Amino acid sequence: MSAAGGGESAGEVPAVEGDPAGGRRGDTVAAVVRQWQAVHPGLDTGPMEVIGRINRCAALLQQAEDAPLRRAGLSRPEFDLLGALRRTGHELTPGELARETFSSGAAVTKRLKQLTERGLVERRIDSRDRRVAHLRLTDAGQELVDGVLPAQLAYETAALSGLDAPGQGELAALLGELLSQLEGRLGALRG
């Protein structure tokens, strides 16, 4: 029984007639959509229902801060750099790291400086072009990534535990499709 006295199970919201979200969602975006529908009844809020929820989920996940990373003294962007070096299995230039992690060159440079000072990444100057640096994980960096990754995945599993496996698979597929389309269209606009 819910706190409102109805017979709904946790997470279910009773259907509200005329609710553009179909009464299926009691999230903050559904409330925003209802407010917009009240002042602009003919407004198509479909895009807001998708993008608003993606943005809200991202904000909540960022606020929660990745506890295993925090315990290891890493930020998410730092871990992304270390992870890119680990998963590719070879040296990368700062530009390649920026592309791998969807970061700006300046942000990568700043993070690499900190990670190098901590002894997690080492830099090798290219023998043919001294302006080019090649980066790789140190043994300590590889050990840190390999130690943190299982705990981070467990943390992310817990964050998604409200969805069953088929729901997670469906969501991953839909988000993958959206991401692929956006990377193609928006990537072309940036280039």
Side-chain angles (χ1 to χ4, degrees), residues 18 20 32-46 48:
V32 168
V33 166
R34 283 191 296 272
Q35 291 167 342
W36 278 117
Q37 289 292 321
V39 296
H40 287 289
L43 196 64
D44 176 12
T45 57
M48 182 185 301

Side-chain angles (χ1 to χ4, degrees), residues 151-184:
Q152 182 62 23
L153 289 172
Y155 177 83
E156 292 173 1
T157 297
L160 294 172
S161 65
L163 293 175
D164 61 14
Q168 287 184 34
E170 183 179 352
L171 178 60
L174 289 170
L175 288 171
E177 186 177 324
L178 175 63
L179 180 59
S180 179
Q181 290 176 17
L182 289 174
E183 285 176 340

